[in-house]
Amino acid sequence: MATSDILVGLPLHPTVVNALWQAKSEAGSLPVDTRGLLVALMRVDTPGSWERIQLHCGDCNSLARKVAVDPAPRSTAHWAGIRLTDTCAQALRTAVELAQHYNLHGVPAGMLALGLLADSSTAAAQVLHDGLGHRELLDIVHADVLGGTFTGIDAELRPTTATPPQPALPPATSEQMLYCLHCGAVPAAAVTIRSHRGFVLWMQFVRMPGPFCRDCGLATLRRMTIESAWLGWWGPLSLFINLFTLLSNASAHSRIIQLAAPFPGMPGRPMDPGKPLFHRPAAIAFLISISILLSFWVVLPLLSI
């Protein structure tokens, strides 16, 4: 039977992608159902707080042994070649729609968990109902696993009936698909931040590649720009090279500052951007450097007249 590919309109967090591939490995030739995907998600989402769910409902191994079937077990859709039951495909869509509703720039593990459990008839919800009621279950996932407060999410999680996948959403843009290289957050921009150290006899070029989220990008850019302001001028060619470096960082800054704040649920903590560049005492390096350079390029030639 031919299956249709599900194109999500937002990037999936690497933890979600890993869970999908692990669930595929465990399912073998069968399509991945919501129970299998939930168990795989609990195993790979090490930063997530699943303790209360495991305390009431059992660990991953015991959940995997329970008998439960999705209400729509046929497979008419797949994601990146991974066959999904129609119920599981709808759960993935629910997670994407929730993320879009709250203007997130990606789908974290906690949002997928809510999508898998939003309908109380899914296999994922069935294996957890032995220890928790459906409403209580959703509240715990919202508070512990998603780790955020989203106003009105109760209304968004009203019981739904699993349906076959609807027409595919537009694919995410290349910018949306990027994750911060340093903390894993989205959204991120593919920029490179540079600094230059110029001395009389030698030079050093420092390059920090992205992608960067907004906070990691600002923290890195401010630190490396201050380094360039102090150390980048003191060689025969460094005046011009350092000027190019600062202009390059200004271009990177214009892209980073347009990013939304990193949203919660990512594996690492974004860097602290700290104070704006010119609110830092170290920014006096710009004034000192300009004064010294003017003395060499303007004042000394005038004294020789």
Side-chain angles (χ1 to χ4, degrees), residues 47-66:
S49 298
W50 297 89
E51 290 83 1
R52 277 206 290 171
I53 290 178
Q54 292 181 350
L55 177 64
H56 290 284
C57 307
D59 60 16
C60 295
N61 292 331
S62 64
L63 295 178
R65 289 193 296 267
K66 292 183 179 181

Side-chain angles (χ1 to χ4, degrees), residues 131-212:
L132 293 170
H134 188 236
R135 184 71 267 160
E136 185 181 7
L137 176 62
L138 294 178
D139 289 342
I140 291 177
V141 171
H142 179 207
D144 293 4
V145 183
L146 186 56
T149 302
F150 296 89
T151 305
I153 201 167
D154 289 347
E156 297 299 320
L157 290 173
R158 61 184 180 276
T160 58
T161 300
T163 58
Q166 302 171 9
L169 295 168
T173 64
S174 58
E175 286 289 328
Q176 288 177 313
M177 295 300 293
L178 295 175
Y179 293 88
C180 179
L181 182 65
H182 304 274
C183 73
V186 294
V191 298
T192 297
I193 300 173
R194 296 174 170 84
S195 70
H196 177 70
R197 300 168 186 176
F199 301 95
V200 176
L201 298 179
W202 60 278
M203 295 183 294
Q204 184 179 25
F205 299 87
V206 181
R207 179 176 176 272
M208 186 71 70
F212 293 95

Side-chain angles (χ1 to χ4, degrees), residues 9-294:
L10 292 173
L12 301 180
H13 188 271
T15 301
V16 174
V17 174
N18 290 341
L20 281 162
W21 285 107
Q22 178 163 324
K24 176 183 181 297
S25 175
E26 295 174 352
S29 60
L30 299 174
V32 173
D33 63 5
T34 56
R35 188 269 306 273
L37 184 53
L38 176 69
V39 171
L41 184 66
M42 293 173 66
R43 284 174 173 160
V44 302
D45 183 30
T46 51
S49 298
W50 297 89
E51 290 83 1
R52 277 206 290 171
I53 290 178
Q54 292 181 350
L55 177 64
H56 290 284
C57 307
D59 60 16
C60 295
N61 292 331
S62 64
L63 295 178
R65 289 193 296 267
K66 292 183 179 181
V67 178
V69 180
D70 278 334
R74 292 177 51 194
S75 177
T76 61
H78 67 89
W79 180 86
I82 301 174
R83 294 172 58 226
L84 309 171
T85 66
D86 288 349
T87 302
C88 192
Q90 180 60 31
L92 183 57
R93 280 189 175 279
T94 299
V96 172
E97 290 167 0
L98 285 171
Q100 289 176 324
H101 178 78
Y102 288 99
N103 297 318
L104 301 183
H105 293 266
V107 181
M111 200 64 83
L112 175 61
L114 287 176
L116 294 170
L117 300 170
D119 183 349
S120 61
S121 66
T122 66
Q126 292 175 44
V127 298
L128 297 181
H129 279 173
D130 292 345
L132 293 170
H134 188 236
R135 184 71 267 160
E136 185 181 7
L137 176 62
L138 294 178
D139 289 342
I140 291 177
V141 171
H142 179 207
D144 293 4
V145 183
L146 186 56
T149 302
F150 296 89
T151 305
I153 201 167
D154 289 347
E156 297 299 320
L157 290 173
R158 61 184 180 276
T160 58
T161 300
T163 58
Q166 302 171 9
L169 295 168
T173 64
S174 58
E175 286 289 328
Q176 288 177 313
M177 295 300 293
L178 295 175
Y179 293 88
C180 179
L181 182 65
H182 304 274
C183 73
V186 294
V191 298
T192 297
I193 300 173
R194 296 174 170 84
S195 70
H196 177 70
R197 300 168 186 176
F199 301 95
V200 176
L201 298 179
W202 60 278
M203 295 183 294
Q204 184 179 25
F205 299 87
V206 181
R207 179 176 176 272
M208 186 71 70
F212 293 95
C213 67
R214 188 190 66 181
D215 289 358
C216 291
L218 288 175
T220 303
L221 187 142
R222 289 167 179 171
R223 173 177 58 82
M224 296 182 70
T225 300
I226 289 292
E227 290 179 1
S228 296
W230 279 106
L231 303 174
W233 308 102
W234 318 118
L237 299 177
S238 291
L239 171 64
F240 305 101
I241 296 173
N242 202 37
L243 183 60
F244 172 81
T245 299
L246 295 176
L247 291 175
S248 174
N249 283 352
S251 176
H253 178 268
S254 67
R255 294 183 59 188
I256 291 170
I257 202 65
Q258 294 177 11
L259 297 172
F263 71 92
M266 293 307 176
R269 176 175 296 180
M271 301 179 192
D272 181 5
K275 294 181 179 179
L277 185 63
F278 290 103
H279 291 185
R280 303 179 179 209
I284 197 175
F286 286 100
L287 182 60
I288 295 174
S289 302
I290 292 173
S291 300
I292 295 175
L293 291 170
L294 285 176

